[in-house]
Amino acid sequence: MEDNLFSHFYAISVLIVFAFFSIFIWKLKYFKLSKPLNPLPPEISGGWPVIGHLLQFSGADDIPLSRKLATLAEKYGPVFTFRLGLPRVLVVSSYDAVRDCLNANDKAFAARPASLAGEYIGYNNAMLFLSSYGPYWRKIRKIVLQEVLSSSRLEKLKNVRVSELQTSIKELFSLFPVTGDHSSVTGDHSSITGDNLPVTGDYVPVKLNLTNWIEKLTLSLIVKMIAGKSYGRLNEKAEDEEEAERFKKALKDFMYISMEFVLWDAFPIPLFKWIDFQGHVKFMKRTFKDIDCVLQNWLDEHVKKREGVDVVAGNEQDFIDVMLSMMSNEDFADSYTRETTIKATALSMVLDASDTTAIHLNWVMAILLNHRDVMKKVQEELDTKISRNRWVEESDIKNLVYFQAVIKETLRLYPPAPLLVPHESVEDCIVHGYHIPKGTRLWVNTMKLQRDPEIWSNPDTFDPERFLTSQAGFDVRGQQYEFIPFGSGRRSCPGITYATQVTHLAIAHLLQGFDFSTLLNEPLDMKEGLGMTMRKVNPIEVLIMPRLPSVLYKF
């Protein structure tokens, strides 16, 4: 018994000594012994030896991280640092500082910090948004931009977007009973009075979990583009339905563990991979197994389909076909096999396109439900520019000026990524007059930046007109450093065009095709969730009614 206690005490003592020694070596490596010419950024108070400011960012207070960092910026300024264990984090939230990081020092901050999730779930960081800056990342990004997300490729895939959206709208309309039969209408409609949706014609309002509908749509769209599969449809095969549910759960587990505090990320010591104190490594391995099983099935189906078939370049049906055509060699780059590269890139695109797009669509509908006057104005613009005799098309969006302003204003107030995916400096640089040592992690607080009162009048007010007047020339492509919902520079989101196309077409169809009301005709709560993405905590539940001739819903 005493021998065991001594062994445990000895192991803990060695661990503590090793941690302090690692910190000393780390400081020598990244901050050097010589004093830089420029001062270091201010560091927030309250740091502890070894653990730094971990306790202040535990999330126990239920405050979103971007909000917490915004409060700290009010005290310490738009450029400050803190320590999460060994790594030092730089937080920026002003126009000048963001421009310094993502323009002047774009290449210096092009790397991604290592993470255990990237290693165990992200195919050893082969995923596009997790991979480090270098030849492999440049090659994969080029393929994705040219073969999937380019304007020409998206135009070829236009029928996929339109077809999936039309199917979703048709299924939504199918919730309404046939003429004279209201027995299948769900929910309690006894409170439908006053400004709530009235019973009109052959329909009564139907209760809908709009959040679920949106998530189903965005996942179905990107999976169709990536793998040629239709997830979540009424006529789906049982095995496909089972695969879809397994995949959706695994994706949610991926997002969950990516936002959890993992000991190794704060203390990158091999011991914390071997001794899984938190159980996170076990969770990651299980999640990866579920994800990889689905992706491997997709890949095997495509390889089998191509056996004996001569696929002509340029006529591939989906992204996996494109990758198989382009990558004939088993070893692609950086010791990643062709199989690993395809699966990792497919996973990266599914996560980016389904999760953040769904979050954005959710906020657009939530904010419109809380601003019925704006929703009515958008519907009037649709009726005037499009009419009620046909559905809106992608070519119509350029004429819907007010509608576009509403989308931009929602992105300003509720960017899906209120903190951009972390960067890491690969060399010393200067930001806002401060010396930033090599190895510093960068967090760009877009939520704080896009509510800066020095840039935006009444920054917390929903005001789409600002994008018709003072900020009329702003777009979402990261060229104006006060408005970067998709990031900027080398590591900006490659799917900007895809995301905007899906958002415009999906929201326009919803508002053109249906009237919406909250269940009790009261404003929705706008509580923001924790984590690196700005997810709305509570789902949107609404009452809906068709507003177009029934023949238009038959497609």
Side-chain angles (χ1 to χ4, degrees):
M1 183 68 160
E2 290 180 356
D3 289 342
N4 287 337
L5 288 173
F6 177 77
S7 298
H8 289 158
F9 176 77
Y10 178 76
I12 293 172
S13 300
V14 170
L15 180 62
I16 293 174
V17 171
F18 184 68
F20 274 104
F21 179 73
S22 299
I23 292 173
F24 177 72
I25 296 298
W26 182 76
K27 287 186 175 181
L28 285 180
K29 180 180 179 182
Y30 292 120
F31 292 97
K32 303 180 181 180
L33 294 176
S34 58
K35 186 177 181 180
L37 295 177
N38 293 73
L40 294 171
E43 179 178 299
I44 67 174
S45 61
W48 287 65
V50 183
I51 66 172
H53 301 86
L54 280 175
L55 297 180
Q56 294 176 238
F57 295 94
S58 63
D61 49 15
D62 201 33
I63 300 175
L65 185 55
S66 58
R67 294 282 184 181
K68 188 177 295 187
L69 294 173
T71 300
L72 288 169
E74 297 295 330
K75 180 178 180 180
Y76 294 97
V79 180
F80 63 88
T81 63
F82 62 90
R83 289 179 295 112
L84 292 179
L86 300 184
R88 185 174 297 272
V89 179
L90 168 70
V91 182
V92 299
S93 57
S94 71
Y95 171 88
D96 292 333
V98 169
R99 184 184 58 186
D100 281 353
C101 291
L102 303 183
N103 184 302
N105 295 303
D106 184 28
K107 188 174 182 180
F109 280 112
R112 292 287 192 227
S115 70
L116 214 56
E119 180 177 341
Y120 283 106
I121 315 179
Y123 290 92
N124 197 23
N125 296 307
M127 290 177 64
L128 181 61
F129 71 86
L130 292 176
S131 60
S132 189
Y133 181 71
Y136 171 81
W137 174 83
R138 286 193 292 269
K139 188 175 291 187
I140 293 299
R141 183 178 172 89
K142 183 178 180 180
I143 292 174
V144 168
L145 285 173
Q146 290 183 350
E147 303 299 331
V148 184
L149 301 175
S150 66
S151 297
S152 59
R153 174 62 72 168
L154 288 174
E155 181 61 28
K156 287 183 180 180
L157 293 171
K158 176 181 176 180
N159 65 311
V160 173
R161 295 191 300 279
V162 173
S163 175
E164 288 295 309
L165 181 57
Q166 287 178 344
T167 301
S168 295
I169 293 292
K170 186 176 181 179
E171 290 179 359
L172 197 55
F173 182 72
S174 71
L175 297 175
F176 293 89
V178 295
T179 303
D181 179 12
H182 305 316
S183 60
S184 64
V185 177
T186 59
D188 178 11
H189 306 298
S190 60
S191 62
I192 304 176
T193 58
D195 292 331
N196 279 342
L197 297 176
V199 177
T200 59
D202 296 329
Y203 308 114
V204 295
V206 167
K207 182 178 177 181
L208 173 72
N209 186 318
L210 188 57
T211 298
N212 286 347
W213 184 88
I214 287 172
E215 290 178 351
K216 178 181 172 182
L217 170 66
T218 56
L219 181 60
S220 179
L221 273 170
I222 193 60
V223 169
K224 186 72 171 181
M225 289 179 61
I226 297 298
K229 301 175 74 72
S230 295
Y231 270 2
R233 294 302 172 215
L234 295 177
N235 59 350
E236 191 175 15
K237 296 178 182 178
E239 57 267 29
D240 287 342
E241 184 178 356
E242 181 181 347
E243 178 185 270
E245 290 304 316
R246 182 181 185 183
F247 192 51
K248 283 188 281 188
K249 181 182 182 304
L251 292 178
K252 288 183 178 180
D253 287 344
F254 184 106
M255 297 305 297
Y256 161 77
I257 197 63
S258 298
M259 297 173 189
E260 283 289 289
F261 165 70
V262 179
L263 193 60
W264 185 88
D265 293 345
F267 303 97
I269 301 168
L271 179 66
F272 294 140
K273 288 184 182 180
W274 305 329
I275 304 177
D276 187 18
F277 293 110
Q278 302 167 288
H280 288 338
V281 172
K282 183 179 179 180
F283 184 88
M284 289 177 189
K285 289 181 177 178
R286 184 172 66 248
T287 301
F288 174 75
K289 183 179 179 180
D290 289 339
I291 289 175
D292 186 65
C293 180
V294 174
L295 294 173
Q296 188 64 52
N297 285 341
W298 292 358
L299 188 56
D300 291 342
E301 288 173 3
H302 281 73
V303 171
K304 184 177 181 180
K305 181 181 67 176
R306 293 164 66 92
E307 290 178 355
V309 177
D310 186 17
V311 180
V312 179
N315 291 328
E316 296 90 351
Q317 297 299 308
D318 52 55
F319 174 71
I320 293 180
D321 270 337
V322 170
M323 293 287 278
L324 285 171
S325 294
M326 295 188 67
M327 298 169 57
S328 58
N329 297 324
E330 183 64 22
D331 290 317
F332 183 60
D334 287 8
S335 73
Y336 294 126
T337 65
R338 180 179 74 158
E339 187 176 83
T340 295
T341 303
I342 293 174
K343 290 189 291 185
T345 308
L347 176 58
S348 183
M349 293 177 65
V350 168
L351 280 169
D352 282 350
S354 63
D355 188 65
T356 56
T357 305
I359 289 172
H360 176 42
L361 291 173
N362 216 41
W363 283 116
V364 172
M365 291 305 298
I367 207 164
L368 286 174
L369 283 162
N370 282 357
H371 295 82
R372 305 290 179 83
D373 56 329
V374 175
M375 181 185 285
K376 183 178 179 181
K377 194 170 180 178
V378 171
Q379 289 178 320
E380 288 174 351
E381 184 179 47
L382 285 163
D383 292 344
T384 301
K385 299 289 179 64
I386 310 302
S387 85
R388 291 198 183 193
N389 297 317
R390 70 174 179 89
W391 285 102
V392 60
E393 298 177 3
E394 286 185 351
S395 59
D396 296 315
I397 300 300
K398 62 181 182 296
N399 300 319
L400 303 174
V401 180
Y402 185 74
F403 172 60
Q404 292 182 64
V406 168
I407 301 301
K408 288 180 183 178
E409 179 68 345
T410 307
L411 278 171
R412 183 187 71 83
L413 286 172
Y414 298 98
L419 295 171
L420 299 184
V421 179
H423 298 234
E424 185 173 272
S425 61
V426 295
E427 59 188 43
D428 292 1
C429 58
I430 304 297
V431 173
H432 207 61
Y434 295 111
H435 173 77
I436 308 301
K438 175 183 176 181
T440 302
R441 298 182 179 182
L442 170 66
W443 290 3
V444 178
N445 191 345
T446 55
M447 191 280 294
K448 172 64 173 172
L449 170 72
Q450 294 177 178
R451 296 188 184 215
D452 187 344
E454 294 186 7
I455 300 171
W456 310 91
S457 60
N458 301 314
D460 295 320
T461 301
F462 178 66
D463 179 20
E465 278 78 8
R466 73 174 79 244
F467 285 102
L468 302 176
T469 54
S470 58
Q471 275 84 25
F474 282 25
D475 61 33
V476 299
R477 298 189 175 276
Q479 301 305 307
Q480 293 93 8
Y481 296 101
E482 52 271 86
F483 183 55
I484 52 169
F486 294 97
S488 182
R490 286 173 171 81
R491 300 307 295 243
S492 62
C493 175
I496 296 175
T497 301
Y498 170 81
T500 52
Q501 284 179 344
V502 170
T503 298
H504 286 143
L505 201 60
I507 297 296
H509 270 70
L510 283 174
L511 296 181
Q512 186 186 19
F514 301 91
D515 283 319
F516 295 84
S517 173
T518 54
L519 299 186
L520 298 176
N521 201 37
E522 295 179 352
L524 295 172
D525 76 274
M526 303 294 277
K527 187 176 181 181
E528 303 157 14
L530 305 177
M532 300 294 281
T533 55
M534 189 181 283
R535 188 177 300 276
K536 188 176 180 297
V537 170
N538 296 313
I540 301 175
E541 293 191 330
V542 293
L543 298 173
I544 65 170
M545 278 278 289
R547 64 188 301 271
L548 298 178
S550 59
V551 67
L552 290 181
Y553 299 92
K554 297 179 180 180
F555 298 105

